[in-house]
Amino acid sequence: MRTPPYPLSLPPWCDANTQPGEQGIANETAITKSHIGSTGTSGADPNRHNWDGNALRGGGGGGDAMAESLPLEMLTYILSFLPLSDQKEASLVSRAWYYAAQNALRERNVRGVSCIGLTNLDGSPASHQVLQSIAYHLGPHLQSLCLGGGSPTEASFVALILGCPALRSLDLSGCNSLFASGTLLAQPETAQQVRQALSGLRELNLAGLRDLADLSFNRLSSCTPSLERLSLAYCHLTFELGPAWGSINPQDSSQSQLSFHNLLRFVKERAARLRALDLSGTGLPPEALQALGQVAGLQLQELSLHSCQDLSTEAVAALCRQQPGLTSLDLSGCSELADRALLAVSRGLRHLQRLSLRKLQRLTDAGCTALGGLRKLQSLDMAECCLVSGRVLAQALGSVRRAPPPLASLSLAYCSSLKDTSVLSLIPALGPSLRVLDLSSCVALTNRTLQAICTYLTPLSVLRLAWCKELRDWGLLGLGEPSEEPAQKAQPHGELEYQASGPMDPSPQPQGPSLLMLQALQELDLTACSKLTDASLAQVLQFPQLRQLSLSLLPALTDNGLVAVARGCPSLERLALSHCSLLSDEGWAQAASSWPRLQHLNLSSCSRLTEQTLDTIGQACKQIQMLDVAMCPGISIAAVRQFQAQLPEVICIQSRFVGGADLTLTL
């Protein structure tokens, strides 16, 4: 049996007082979370399970004894449904729960973890040791590896790849250190070994590599014979117009630049397998897009052309005719495109499931009529399409003759022409499949829109209403509009004041469709909804599954509201409270203990907070990774450094202008 070159170190939560037998679960968890970084996605996962330790223990009293008396097999079975991070939390409840979590972890076989992201890698010996440990302990089973933004050495990278023969996805975005010298895989023996290790690789991400050239690209791509998905987003592609595109030999490839003719040659060679291309930000001209589309045998399913600003409507129309099998198309930021481009997409891409048209500022309601032809559309992004009012979109999606498309995600953020009337006609047409709705910065929307959402879109898991400044307390609570009864104007305000000052009711009974109806929410953004107060927030923010919440720029949010939110949303992992100037140390002293899972916290410009809040967070929120206390005059830089020293898990602390720095001297 091989001896591991370096042992897996214990995570910070497993200290010197670790009980006998706990080192196993600590070691196995460390390699997947503590020393590698997050392996999840930025946003809420609608399929993620939620658990409540208090509920499972019975809420105290006799319930604790009942939970402890459950057979170990039953506890193990229950905990096996939880994600890895929650199993770790459960293991800290009691000795019985620890053993049950350990058994569940063994059954899960953490050594077979298939997806890992490594952050902050460099050329140091410590990083080299981490890569060696990864290759030894997890390499044989690893299917997805992300090194994005790191700076590993070529030798460390090759050694890691050779230890991961089952890789299906490799992310090298921003790893410029690997390509700076131009010698990566220059040795034929090494290239042959890497080719054998990457023989099953399906996806390769080379986005943002400033030093990538034809020669280094050819060496790496030749080691991936099964490649199906390739990203060269924001790489510096050079374009030389002419009929000889793609006819150059690999031996004549440039050592200093990445050329389109070399890429086209690669696409022609791999046309039978290639299914997805990302050329966002490469400045792709219309002629190059047409040359790609007409490659013989190429049947793309996904194509991303974000920020290719020179693309024309004619080039997009030709693409739709040449590649009718596309299921995902990103044209966001292609500023020359207008309504005719969307019409061409609708006519040519009948199987389209994901479409991004963000920042197409020439797109109007007339172009939205074409969306009715995309009957399989699941995700639509029309953010920052300022001329779209939503009226025609509602008609296109809500055709009475056919069922609406199965939209799961819709973004109309920054569509300043959007009004209540058009959204009210759109919402019923969206159907029960919608899970993500983004209406951020649609500043004209009011409580009527919110209450329609709460009535028709109850399965939502993500709702973003940032900068919808007309939202008010009575809308969140499902109450009638105060202006409807002029003679009783003061009554609703009096009721809200009573609710805000009286005892918090954990189970409010709204009079109409309130935010409480969206119990599946995992992400909620109410940033800069400045007319909201504790009166509504304390009553409706009761979401056990909520993972991400933003209440930044709410000037009326107080300690009472903070404590109520903490009790109602105990599963938060990301919380933004910047510019909430009424929050104080007292509020955090009561709230912090409810958020043991908190990982990202933004408290910038909370002027009443002091170093006491840092101490409270450090004691209660052991999983914190990122903290922003910028422009907090009551917090000193010395306190920030002490906080970071106490919590090694912390990756980043934003502390600019702390301690009451005079901004007039720096701005």
Side-chain angles (χ1 to χ4, degrees):
M1 179 180 295
R2 293 183 303 165
T3 302
Y6 297 96
L8 298 180
S9 55
L10 295 177
W13 62 271
C14 195
D15 56 21
N17 297 321
T18 301
Q19 297 180 8
E22 293 183 0
Q23 184 170 343
I25 191 172
N27 276 335
E28 293 182 276
T29 305
I31 194 64
T32 61
K33 184 176 181 67
S34 300
H35 292 272
I36 297 175
S38 174
T39 59
T41 60
S42 95
D45 181 1
N47 298 316
R48 185 172 180 178
H49 295 283
N50 181 68
W51 74 284
D52 186 340
N54 291 325
L56 195 52
R57 290 194 299 269
D64 292 335
M66 181 185 70
E68 293 297 329
S69 65
L70 287 175
L72 181 62
E73 293 80 3
M74 185 176 294
L75 273 177
T76 299
Y77 177 74
I78 293 173
L79 297 183
S80 67
F81 288 94
L82 303 181
L84 188 62
S85 59
D86 288 349
Q87 287 185 21
K88 188 181 76 171
E89 289 296 316
S91 71
L92 303 179
V93 171
S94 66
R95 183 180 291 271
W97 281 44
Y98 164 74
Y99 288 122
Q102 191 177 48
N103 289 343
L105 192 63
R106 290 195 187 100
E107 293 179 4
R108 187 188 185 114
N109 186 17
V110 74
R111 293 188 184 277
V113 168
S114 61
C115 177
I116 281 185
L118 301 171
T119 59
N120 302 322
L121 285 176
D122 53 25
S124 66
S127 290
H128 181 69
Q129 291 177 12
V130 168
L131 293 180
Q132 280 191 305
S133 295
I134 293 292
Y136 176 84
H137 292 279
L138 301 177
H141 306 283
L142 205 58
Q143 295 185 15
S144 178
L145 176 63
C146 175
L147 304 177
S151 302
T153 63
E154 295 179 17
S156 296
F157 169 73
V158 170
L160 175 61
I161 293 301
L162 294 181
C164 303
L167 274 184
R168 294 296 179 267
S169 175
L170 178 60
D171 185 348
L172 299 178
S173 57
C175 294
N176 290 293
S177 63
L178 293 177
F179 301 92
S181 66
T183 60
L184 181 66
L185 304 179
Q187 298 298 324
E189 300 83 1
T190 302
Q192 180 60 33
Q193 292 175 331
V194 171
R195 178 184 173 85
Q196 185 175 358
L198 297 181
S199 60
L201 194 73
R202 301 290 189 270
E203 180 176 359
L204 180 61
N205 187 347
L206 302 176
L209 294 176
R210 62 175 179 267
D211 296 316
L212 186 64
D214 289 345
L215 189 58
S216 52
F217 172 77
N218 292 342
R219 287 172 181 164
L220 182 56
S221 61
S222 67
C223 296
T224 59
S226 303
L227 197 65
E228 297 175 356
R229 305 167 61 89
L230 173 66
S231 174
L232 293 173
Y234 299 96
C235 290
H236 182 65
L237 270 177
T238 60
F239 301 93
E240 297 176 3
L241 302 182
W245 270 354
S247 62
I248 192 170
N249 294 322
Q251 294 79 7
D252 301 326
S253 301
S254 171
Q255 301 182 28
S256 59
Q257 62 183 9
L258 184 65
S259 62
F260 177 75
H261 63 70
N262 186 75
L263 173 62
L264 190 59
R265 178 198 55 78
F266 168 81
V267 172
K268 289 180 177 180
E269 290 178 355
R270 305 292 184 91
R273 278 190 170 272
L274 206 57
R275 293 294 177 264
L277 269 178
D278 187 351
L279 299 177
S280 300
T282 58
L284 197 72
E287 298 83 357
L289 180 60
Q290 293 182 20
L292 274 177
Q294 63 190 12
V295 170
L298 182 64
Q299 297 180 353
L300 288 177
Q301 296 176 356
E302 301 178 22
L303 180 61
S304 181
L305 302 171
H306 183 283
S307 297
C308 292
Q309 300 182 4
D310 295 330
L311 290 183
S312 64
T313 297
E314 292 73 18
V316 171
L319 172 73
C320 295
R321 292 191 300 270
Q322 296 160 348
Q323 299 294 325
L326 281 172
T327 60
S328 177
L329 180 62
D330 186 351
L331 297 174
S332 53
C334 299
S335 54
E336 294 298 315
L337 302 183
D339 294 337
R340 289 196 301 120
L342 184 51
L343 182 61
V345 168
S346 175
R347 290 175 175 173
L349 305 179
R350 293 294 182 175
H351 302 287
L352 202 62
Q353 298 176 13
R354 293 174 295 277
L355 177 61
S356 180
L357 304 172
R358 177 182 289 258
K359 296 184 72 173
L360 297 193
Q361 299 189 2
R362 296 187 180 188
L363 194 64
T364 69
D365 285 335
C368 292
T369 58
L371 292 172
L374 301 176
R375 311 312 300 173
K376 297 183 179 181
L377 199 60
Q378 298 178 13
S379 176
L380 176 61
D381 186 352
M382 300 185 68
E384 298 184 69
C385 295
C386 300
L387 300 180
V388 173
S389 69
R391 293 190 302 271
V392 178
L393 181 61
Q395 297 171 7
L397 297 180
S399 172
V400 296
R401 294 172 297 174
R402 292 173 292 182
L407 269 182
S409 176
L410 174 63
S411 176
L412 296 171
Y414 303 95
C415 291
S416 53
S417 299
L418 217 58
K419 303 292 190 297
D420 278 338
T421 52
S422 55
V423 178
L424 291 177
S425 60
L426 172 64
I427 287 176
L430 292 176
S433 59
L434 197 70
R435 295 296 181 270
V436 179
L437 179 61
D438 190 348
L439 298 175
S440 301
S441 294
C442 297
V443 294
L445 300 184
T446 70
N447 290 315
R448 296 178 62 199
T449 289
L450 176 61
Q451 293 185 349
I453 292 172
C454 297
T455 301
Y456 293 100
L457 304 178
T458 53
L460 277 180
S461 59
V462 177
L463 178 60
R464 303 187 182 108
L465 298 171
W467 294 92
C468 294
K469 295 186 175 183
E470 296 304 314
L471 296 184
R472 299 173 182 266
D473 288 327
W474 59 264
L476 268 67
L477 289 166
L479 303 176
E481 185 174 0
S483 59
E484 291 177 357
E485 299 284 346
Q488 300 179 1
K489 271 188 177 181
Q491 183 176 349
H493 296 286
E495 182 178 359
L496 293 180
E497 290 176 4
Y498 170 78
Q499 291 176 348
S501 59
M504 300 293 183
D505 180 9
S507 302
Q509 301 296 324
Q511 299 179 9
S514 76
L515 201 64
L516 277 171
M517 300 181 71
L518 307 181
Q519 279 300 303
L521 277 184
Q522 296 191 22
E523 178 183 340
L524 177 63
D525 190 350
L526 296 174
T527 299
C529 298
S530 54
K531 296 179 181 178
L532 300 180
T533 70
D534 291 351
S536 62
L537 298 174
Q539 298 292 325
V540 300
L541 292 186
Q542 299 184 30
F543 302 110
Q545 299 186 56
L546 198 66
R547 305 286 174 163
Q548 185 168 336
L549 175 64
S550 179
L551 300 176
S552 295
L553 292 163
L554 298 190
L557 179 64
T558 70
D559 289 340
N560 291 334
L562 179 67
V563 173
V565 171
R567 293 171 179 168
C569 306
S571 300
L572 284 183
E573 297 175 355
R574 293 172 176 261
L575 177 62
L577 296 169
S578 65
H579 294 84
C580 293
S581 56
L582 297 183
L583 299 183
S584 69
D585 296 335
E586 291 75 15
W588 269 101
Q590 301 177 60
S593 60
S594 298
W595 287 322
R597 301 182 183 183
L598 209 56
Q599 298 177 14
H600 293 243
L601 178 59
N602 187 347
L603 298 175
S604 60
S605 297
C606 291
S607 55
R608 296 180 60 184
L609 299 183
T610 70
E611 299 166 5
Q612 181 181 339
T613 291
L614 276 187
D615 294 338
T616 301
I617 294 171
Q619 295 173 11
C621 308
K622 298 293 187 180
Q623 294 192 33
I624 201 78
Q625 295 179 9
M626 301 190 71
L627 175 66
D628 191 341
V629 290
M631 301 186 186
C632 292
I635 298 177
S636 67
I637 191 65
V640 171
R641 290 171 178 165
Q642 182 179 1
F643 174 85
Q644 193 161 19
Q646 292 174 347
L647 293 177
E649 289 267 330
V650 176
I651 298 174
C652 176
I653 297 183
Q654 295 288 344
S655 56
R656 57 196 183 281
F657 306 126
V658 295
D662 187 359
L663 301 187
T664 60
L665 300 178
T666 56
L667 297 182

